[in-house]
Amino acid sequence: MMRGLVSATYAFTTSQKRAPEDAATELTATRTPFPDEFAPGSLPRWRSAAQRRGRGPIPPTTAAEIGWATMNSYVNPLRDPQDRRLPRIAGPCVLVIFGVTGDLSRKKLMPAVYDLANRGMLPPGFGLVGFARRDWADQDFAQVVHDAVKENARTPFREEVWEQLLEGIRFVPGTFDDDQSFERLRDTIRDLDTARGTGGNHAFYLSIPPSSFEQVMTQLRRHGMTERHEGNWNRVVIEKPFGHDLESARELDDVVSVLFEPHEVFRIDHYLGKETVQNMLALRFANQMFEPIWNNHYVSHVEITMAEDIGIGGRAGYFDGIGIARDVIQNHLLQLLALTAMEEPTSFEAGQLRAEKKKVLAAARVPDRYDLHTARGQYAAGWQGGRPVIGYLEEDGVPEGSTTETYAAMRVDIDNRRWAGVPFYLRSAKRMPRRVTEVALSFKRAPHLPFTATDTEELGTNALVMRIQPDEGVTLRFGAKVPGTQMEIREVSMDFGYGGSFTESSPEAYERLILDVLLGDPPLFPQQEEVELSWKILDPVIEYWASLKQQPEQYASGTWGPASGREMLARDGFSWRRP
Ligand code: BG6
């Protein structure tokens, strides 16, 4: 039962500052004080959009006191959003990171925040708040950020940028179950809003295990940090894994969507923030020459490879029991597949882009007979970069006899007119000979070759390879005449490399994605439906593997994976490209 509801109606104005999806929300919403039921662990499951709009309140005076509405409704009349010379700069806001002591935060998030500041993408009114179970003062946290930036930032360290950032850095010590910690967090944010003019705009980055999402989000709500006011915003950022199967992904969404509107939730799949991944859209849709051959009339098969040379390092706690398929195929590789196979969206507006990706994911499935069309493996000891390395089962924290796969490959068919009959092969693995991610379209043989068989012995297959990393670019492979009096055709490559063609270095994926969160720009963030469709593709395969109750096939570290992976393609008459 909700007790003591006092409704107050307030109006949203559709100012230009608001993201398109924000603008689409209804013009009025009812505010209710915070009901007693919102104690941690007792989330009410009221799900309709209208019901979800009933947010906890902030004292009506607060917004006026801080002057949010005035600050946020200002629109610079000289700024034209179409003008590419003007960088996209976030408005005043606070970024709160939960899990600041983790690897992701140290290696990616804090350096990305600095790089954004260094590139002038953050406003002077910016605050960075860390929350963690550490007995730290603001200066201690600032030192941690400073070290992380020095060690991992992409752009050079500049004292004046750091000094500016430092002014907005705060730390809140606390635990997720402690009300007082969240009260301190709320007060800290409000102080920043006043002192730094951050305007009541807050992004909460949950770089924490998904099992803690519910508790943290509930605490945010309980302590009045999720309500909206005219012109201000609250957003929550969640990192994959989005569940470990379809059911758990839905449960997670139940938790998230009770507290946040869909447009306030930013799910990070960092592959979508990579320049080269976005270039797939440019390559396909800015050019005329690829589209006519981008279908089953010309393409014989597609290979999507994400290979890493590293093992699991110290991540056994996260990785074991999860495995590579859930870790990266469910998200990164299926997103790459969706971008490769989707139809042209009518625009790059989030709704249009997602609609096209969803259609592909809904039509994609691993063909039955998982014994023939999937393969999995586990790295054994071997050699990596000239040094002997241990096998997965010897890694710290991996339980004896673990059946977690570190290599996964599967064929995915897309049941639509464009792709029927074209297998998409996905593979991902740890401890491969080198780190490489690419999407390769192989083309059919020309229907007739007016050469003798010996002329074309070294022709190979025509291929278009989108090199996602590390050597970012695009390769086109085709046959050319070897100079000489004989007609001899040999395979050659035509290369576009980012390094050679542009002087700008690519921003890190997290720079782009954090900036988009702060700007409220949603196209690069998958929505729940995409997450669910991806689990629908993967779940049956994982269930099948679990039912085998066998050890995955071993492969020596530093090799291209188990024999079953090669056999899977050989059965269809193909072999893996050597990236
Ligand atoms: C993460 C996975 O999503 O991507 C890690 O959880 C993996 O296991 C990482 O190492 C690889 O990212 P990148 O950007 O280096 O390809």
Side-chain angles (χ1 to χ4, degrees), residues 108 239-241 269-271 274 306-308 310-312 315 318-319 324 327-328 331-332 430 435 437 468-469 508-510:
K108 301 285 182 190
E239 272 283 342
K240 71 166 227 342
D269 178 325
H270 78 279
Y271 261 61
K274 291 185 190 274
M306 177 185 168
E308 289 181 281
I310 50 170
I312 54 151
R315 294 173 78 216
Y318 160 73
F319 192 85
I324 197 89
D327 185 31
V328 302
N331 36 78
H332 307 329
K430 304 272 181 197
R435 172 176 182 252
T437 301
I468 309 295
Q469 64 188 25
E508 271 281 326
Y510 278 97

Side-chain angles (χ1 to χ4, degrees), residues 105-121:
S105 175
R106 207 165 31 84
K107 290 192 180 147
K108 301 285 182 190
L109 306 183
M110 296 172 190
V113 168
Y114 169 81
D115 286 326
L116 284 172
N118 203 8
R119 292 163 60 209
M121 308 287 183

Side-chain angles (χ1 to χ4, degrees), residues 180-217:
Q180 282 180 358
S181 309
F182 280 83
E183 275 163 27
R184 280 199 300 274
L185 177 63
R186 184 196 53 213
D187 295 345
T188 304
I189 294 175
R190 289 201 178 152
D191 285 350
L192 276 172
D193 282 337
T194 327
R196 310 273 301 155
T198 44
N201 300 320
H202 310 137
F204 299 99
Y205 200 121
L206 307 192
S207 178
I208 52 176
S211 52
S212 303
F213 284 178
E214 176 166 2
Q215 195 175 27
V216 169
M217 287 195 273

Side-chain angles (χ1 to χ4, degrees), residues 28 150 210 271 279 322 486:
T28 57
K150 280 255 169 141
Y271 261 61
N279 186 46
I322 293 279
Q486 308 279 3

